[in-house]
Amino acid sequence: MLTAEENEILCRVEGEAAMGQMMRRHWIPACMSEEVEAPDGAPVRVRLLGEDLVFFRDTKGRLGALDEYCAHRRVSLVLGRNEDCGLRCLYHGWKYDVDGNAVDLPTEPASSRLIELVRQKSYPVREGGGLVWIYMGPASAMPEFAPPVWEANPGTKISVVKMHVAANWAQVLEGSIDSAHSSLLHSTNIRPGVGGRTTQNGSGAMVRPTVDKAPRLQVQRTEYGMRYVAIRRPAENAETHDYMRITVYIAPFTALIPPNTLYSPTQLMVPMDDENTMFYFIISSEGEGMDTEAWRKYCGARVGVDLDSNFRKTRTRANNFLQDRQAMRLGDYSGIYGIPNQDMAMSETMGRSPIADRTRETLGASDIAIAQFRRMMVDAARAFAEGAPPLGTAMGRLREAKVQSYEAIVPKGTDWRRLGIGEAELALLDDDATAA
Ligand code: FES
Ligand SMILES: [Fe+2]
């Protein structure tokens, strides 16, 4: 439970809100690279932290991120013409380059000096890990950009699902650090079985080596956020062994989900504003992994089928997420197609408001990681507002340290706090702050 005031600090990201201001100190995912692939292609509308932006790739292949609304009389540049190294507003033809400089004002007299004064607000952008990133904070505090942890090397195979969620970012994130729900909500997709690891063959259900629905959770604070373990009884050798799943939370909005035999999943909960989130569900592999089309089909996240062109779901609160009661009678647990649709159905129905009322919950033993996340982020936002550095480490360090999620069946008594980490990550752990 949080107080109403703490809930506001955790959730609000627009304007001067401390959480949003802290997020602006990080490189933020803005869209998928594939959306802005073609030079002079269609501009892309992006909403982040309550701000409306337009992204475009110019004739020379440079990426630009500008305020969506034209400096002249505020028409949307998403409708603009992307041509000859700039974005031209449809209304009176004012044109801007990727840095926001005005390069043509056709409605002004030849003698006008206005072109030297007009500027369209612009932001720095980079590409990596299948995404386009933006930095929206003060220039003096801009961290160096590095490819994200899920892109271990240039050959890493990456498939991305993108999905709009009509709910506040924090409750979507809480689904990513809530191992317990996967044994219930996703039980039709993730079935109990035997073996040493979670297996995924790419088409049917995943098989996880346990039937235990009540995992024991423990949290370990780190410099970049936290790691937590969910410990379950394995289907075999339960007397001598534990099945451990370790999730990594990288502040402010990234979760590395334990891997399976085919890929490692990453989830990003990027706040569009206080009431909407863009969810990215990314899988990466150094092996064959899963193709993008197959991944989107498996997730129920294909544009034109499951999503509209703005990545809004066809399965919504208004139609009960197309829940199939007949399928439930025949054994399907949720009646909702695809793991992310199941997750978002939960995030979008936590009360009537898109911001969950955390003063009215009843937390249980499996909510330990969620409680830690809230405490840590509320404290971090408050401290940031008073001048402390933002929580979360630049991606480059995490990548060098090979920070990753983990799952294994291990002998009972194994110290999970040292599982799945290399030497380089030791420096990022904060054992003094470890919460059991
Ligand atoms: S509103 Fe954009 S050029 Fe006039
Ligand atoms: Fe889930």
Side-chain angles (χ1 to χ4, degrees):
M1 271 207 356
L2 291 185
T3 65
E5 188 213 345
E6 289 168 333
N7 203 33
E8 292 284 299
I9 292 172
L10 179 68
C11 297
R12 299 279 173 192
V13 293
E14 298 180 26
E16 293 307 310
M19 188 65 75
Q21 289 296 321
M22 189 167 80
M23 287 177 174
R24 282 172 185 262
R25 297 299 186 90
H26 295 265
W27 285 94
I28 301 173
C31 65
M32 299 185 289
S33 285
E34 67 182 62
E35 295 175 75
V36 285
E37 210 163 279
D40 292 342
V44 173
R45 175 182 279 121
V46 173
R47 185 165 169 79
L48 288 173
L49 304 175
E51 248 182 85
D52 292 325
L53 306 165
V54 58
F55 280 66
F56 68 107
R57 193 183 296 278
D58 78 2
T59 316
K60 290 189 173 149
R62 293 173 302 197
L63 268 177
L66 306 178
D67 176 3
E68 179 181 343
Y69 307 113
C70 177
H72 179 215
R73 278 170 44 212
R74 308 274 297 153
V75 163
S76 172
L77 292 172
V78 172
L79 300 172
R81 299 177 59 86
N82 184 10
E83 59 191 12
D84 299 330
C85 290
L87 193 55
R88 188 184 291 284
C89 179
L90 218 48
Y91 207 1
H92 313 94
W94 288 23
K95 184 178 171 185
Y96 310 98
D97 69 12
V98 290
D99 297 317
N101 302 306
V103 291
D104 189 22
L105 306 183
T107 51
E108 286 297 292
S111 59
S112 169
R113 307 279 309 269
L114 192 60
I115 196 165
E116 291 159 29
L117 301 175
V118 175
R119 262 200 64 81
Q120 187 68 10
K121 190 171 180 190
S122 72
Y123 292 102
V125 284
R126 302 282 189 276
E127 281 181 272
L131 303 177
V132 175
W133 303 72
I134 185 171
Y135 177 71
M136 300 171 75
S140 59
M142 188 170 94
E144 201 177 324
F145 179 81
V149 278
W150 61 85
E151 189 178 56
N153 64 67
T156 301
K157 179 161 178 176
I158 293 169
S159 294
V160 183
V161 151
K162 176 177 178 178
M163 189 182 264
H164 166 268
V165 193
N168 177 261
W169 75 279
Q171 67 212 58
V172 187
L173 195 139
E174 287 171 356
S176 301
I177 53 171
D178 173 23
S179 186
H181 83 267
S182 60
S183 308
L184 284 302
L185 178 65
H186 304 315
S187 54
T188 298
N189 308 85
I190 306 172
R191 302 210 174 126
V194 291
R197 293 197 54 195
T198 303
T199 55
Q200 160 71 292
N201 66 16
S203 51
M206 269 185 266
V207 176
R208 191 184 275 179
T210 180
V211 292
D212 190 349
K213 290 190 175 120
R216 280 90 60 212
L217 267 60
Q218 293 173 15
V219 177
Q220 176 182 34
R221 284 288 306 270
T222 65
E223 180 188 299
Y224 54 77
M226 68 183 194
R227 306 164 85 230
Y228 83 88
V229 70
I231 305 173
R232 290 175 171 87
R233 285 190 311 279
E236 300 170 310
N237 305 319
E239 267 64 63
T240 52
H241 285 69
D242 282 325
Y243 172 46
M244 294 191 174
R245 295 177 56 78
I246 299 175
T247 301
V248 175
Y249 166 62
I250 302 168
F253 42 57
T254 304
L256 310 182
I257 309 297
N260 58 51
T261 47
L262 215 50
Y263 50 74
S264 296
T266 297
Q267 298 186 334
L268 298 164
M269 280 50 65
V270 184
M272 300 169 70
D273 52 34
D274 288 347
E275 303 188 343
N276 294 277
T277 303
M278 199 56 89
F279 172 69
Y280 295 90
F281 196 4
I282 299 167
I283 54 172
S284 54
S285 170
E286 302 309 313
E288 69 173 303
M290 199 193 267
D291 289 338
T292 297
E293 261 317 292
W295 174 235
R296 289 177 183 170
K297 188 170 179 208
Y298 177 75
C299 287
R302 286 174 294 174
V303 171
V305 182
D306 311 287
L307 307 171
D308 72 12
S309 57
N310 293 312
F311 302 93
R312 289 184 179 251
K313 303 186 295 326
T314 52
R315 297 170 181 86
T316 65
R317 182 180 185 131
N319 61 27
N320 278 344
F321 303 88
L322 303 180
Q323 188 179 39
D324 184 344
R325 290 277 168 185
Q326 177 60 11
M328 292 167 79
R329 276 188 283 276
L330 295 173
D332 187 288
Y333 177 84
S334 72
I336 298 171
Y337 182 80
I339 289 176
N341 285 294
Q342 293 158 10
D343 283 325
M344 300 321 150
M346 303 301 102
S347 296
E348 291 183 356
T349 57
M350 295 175 151
R352 167 119 329 254
S353 156
I355 301 181
D357 182 354
R358 291 176 177 76
T359 66
R360 300 178 65 185
E361 301 171 325
T362 313
L363 297 187
S366 74
D367 297 309
I368 286 171
I370 289 169
Q372 273 289 313
F373 154 75
R374 295 173 180 177
R375 174 60 39 221
M376 179 169 67
M377 291 309 281
V378 169
D379 289 351
R382 279 185 172 139
F384 179 76
E386 279 158 21
L391 180 64
T393 312
M395 272 291 176
R397 266 192 91 191
L398 303 190
R399 198 157 168 269
E400 274 164 34
K402 294 190 171 39
V403 170
Q404 57 190 335
S405 57
Y406 186 79
E407 70 143 20
I409 293 175
V410 296
K412 275 187 186 299
T414 301
D415 180 9
W416 73 271
R417 292 177 176 83
R418 292 293 178 272
L419 277 181
I421 60 168
E423 278 298 303
E425 195 181 345
L426 286 174
L428 303 177
L429 302 177
D430 184 2
D431 284 340
D432 292 342
T434 290

